Amino acid sequence: MDDDRPQFLPWQADILQRALSLQQQQHLPHAVLIDTPGEQDITGFGRYLSMLLLCDNPSGLSVCAVCEACRMMQADTYADFNLVTLEHNEKTKKLNKNINIEQIRKLIHEVNLTRQYERMKIALIYPAEAMNKSSANALLKTLEEPAARVLIMLVTHNPGHIPVTLRSRCQSWSINPPTREQALNWLREQGVEDATATSYLQFASGDPVLALELQRNDYASLVAQFKSSFSQFLRGELSVSDLCRGLLSAETAIIRRLINMTLNAYCYQSSGVDADAESRSGADRRSAQALLELRHRAQYQLQVEENNLDLQLQLEDVLISLKQILSRRLI
Ligand SMILES: [Zn+2]
């Protein structure tokens, strides 16, 4: 298969089929809210779905890749397709946390312009949950008075974070998470051996796209190395700064995941779910509470953007607190 050809993930096929069937029956709604599992960027899927609906000669769920719409969509020059997503702040160069009202106003303007081609116009908003209140309000008016032959697609990982006023004006479509078999097959196609795939799927709570990303970052080695350094740190054989320095070569998102996973594991252990009687003393109940608080605090503390001194300081703080809680538990 030609690798440059746009593709979709097997578990996204149902939604593509549904969209295509509705289009064939001329029953496509003017607005849809697509809720998708996982946390990985799925702009590619949104683009593919748009391309499929615009393609002159789709075959099954495959785009032809050669018609005018396909070629322009691939070159990102198709005038009747608009993508609204998180942008980088010009000053700080960091990714904005919100889709702001200017972006939505611009989109509404584009949507109301005369179409350049015979096909419908598509507006894709992803991640839709990143629209702030004023953006959502601005979009609401457009959803209430839809322009002809325009499809507005909101794609989200968190449908609960979309205002109900918006949700109620969209048809809701859900992409189901992959089955274990689909996940394993897909990872096999990406060249990941079954045993590795199984352990990485566990790290990724069943999400194969995340599992692949973790595998490419050699997450298992990072976990093994961290486990061993963390035990040394608990025994007082390694300083907190050396412990953190060992982690900081990894990407921030990966470090955050590792720390969350570690804290979750301790929280689970101290919850009593899998513990024997001797690990459920009164002192343990207090450390269980302290662990839960630390996990909550760490989620905020580690929300720094890049690997820098700030991250190292926050990491050190979290790990020192964890050591204190664990050493109290041993008394
Ligand atoms: Zn085509």
Side-chain angles (χ1 to χ4, degrees):
M1 191 186 285
D2 182 359
D3 276 341
D4 289 338
R5 216 176 154 114
Q7 288 170 29
F8 57 90
L9 298 166
W11 50 97
Q12 295 168 340
D14 288 351
I15 292 298
L16 297 176
Q17 185 59 61
R18 181 166 174 177
L20 218 48
S21 309
L22 286 171
Q23 186 185 40
Q24 280 154 5
Q25 298 157 21
Q26 299 189 332
H27 280 156
L28 262 186
H30 66 272
V32 286
L33 174 65
I34 305 177
D35 129 46
T36 172
E39 52 193 83
Q40 306 307 104
D41 187 329
I42 67 150
T43 314
F45 165 76
R47 280 181 183 278
Y48 189 86
L49 172 54
S50 306
M51 211 165 145
L52 187 64
L53 293 173
L54 295 168
C55 176
D56 293 338
N57 297 301
S59 149
L61 297 180
S62 297
V63 294
C64 78
V66 292
C67 73
E68 176 189 53
C70 281
R71 280 188 285 110
M72 292 180 105
M73 281 296 285
Q74 286 181 93
D76 204 14
T77 55
Y78 194 72
D80 290 339
F81 171 77
N82 291 93
L83 167 68
V84 174
T85 188
L86 294 173
E87 291 176 349
H88 282 90
N89 184 304
E90 281 179 20
K91 282 187 198 145
T92 62
K93 308 287 174 211
K94 287 179 180 171
L95 200 62
N96 288 336
K97 292 204 172 2
N98 288 314
I99 290 175
N100 59 43
I101 188 159
E102 286 74 29
Q103 291 178 272
I104 296 295
R105 282 197 185 126
K106 188 163 167 262
L107 177 77
I108 293 168
H109 175 73
E110 299 278 347
V111 158
N112 288 318
L113 289 177
T114 314
R115 279 181 289 120
Q116 302 230 355
Y117 304 96
E118 271 309 295
R119 308 169 193 92
M120 70 175 140
K121 221 173 210 193
I122 298 183
L124 169 64
I125 304 177
Y126 171 75
E129 69 271 26
M131 278 188 290
N132 58 25
K133 212 170 175 182
S134 44
S135 307
N137 279 338
L139 185 66
L140 189 59
K141 293 193 190 81
T142 303
L143 293 185
E144 280 167 342
E145 296 155 21
R149 302 203 61 197
V150 170
L151 171 64
I152 297 178
M153 286 199 284
L154 309 180
V155 182
T156 179
H157 297 284
N158 285 305
H161 289 191
I162 309 285
V164 73
T165 43
L166 279 191
R167 267 190 282 156
S168 63
R169 282 166 180 82
C170 298
Q171 202 174 91
S172 280
W173 299 353
S174 287
I175 299 176
N176 291 322
T179 61
R180 188 172 167 74
E181 199 187 346
Q182 279 176 322
L184 283 170
N185 284 342
W186 184 77
L187 283 167
R188 204 174 292 136
E189 282 167 23
Q190 314 307 312
V192 184
E193 285 176 15
D194 280 6
T196 312
T198 305
S199 62
Y200 272 99
L201 276 175
Q202 214 161 11
F203 285 136
S205 308
D207 177 351
V209 182
L210 177 60
L212 185 64
E213 192 194 313
L214 292 177
Q215 192 251 345
R216 288 182 174 159
N217 278 284
D218 200 12
Y219 187 70
S221 302
L222 187 71
V223 171
Q225 183 213 323
F226 177 73
K227 270 186 180 169
S228 128
S229 318
F230 188 64
S231 323
Q232 286 180 290
F233 167 63
L234 289 183
R235 292 195 301 266
E237 295 162 7
L238 190 72
S239 72
V240 72
S241 44
D242 285 340
L243 173 67
C244 293
R245 217 166 292 137
L247 283 177
L248 284 167
S249 55
E251 280 177 33
T252 310
I254 298 281
I255 301 173
R256 211 180 278 147
R257 176 166 296 281
L258 175 68
I259 299 299
N260 282 340
M261 192 182 84
T262 307
L263 291 170
N264 280 342
Y266 279 113
C267 284
Y268 178 72
Q269 210 180 55
S270 71
S271 68
V273 175
D274 74 337
D276 50 24
E278 69 175 356
S279 66
R280 263 181 268 153
S281 63
D284 265 346
R285 270 198 297 278
R286 282 193 298 280
S287 30
Q289 183 61 32
L291 277 168
L292 285 174
E293 283 165 15
L294 177 62
R295 182 176 63 170
H296 188 67
R297 174 157 67 84
Q299 268 163 9
Y300 290 94
Q301 271 186 272
L302 301 180
Q303 284 304 321
V304 287
E305 306 276 334
E306 296 131 24
N307 294 359
N308 55 19
L309 186 63
D310 202 25
L311 177 63
Q312 167 139 8
L313 292 176
Q314 302 295 350
L315 257 181
E316 288 183 5
D317 187 59
V318 168
L319 292 169
I320 289 171
S321 303
L322 179 58
K323 184 179 178 179
Q324 281 168 352
I325 297 169
L326 297 178
S327 58
R328 273 202 301 272
R329 202 167 63 159
L330 296 174
I331 295 168

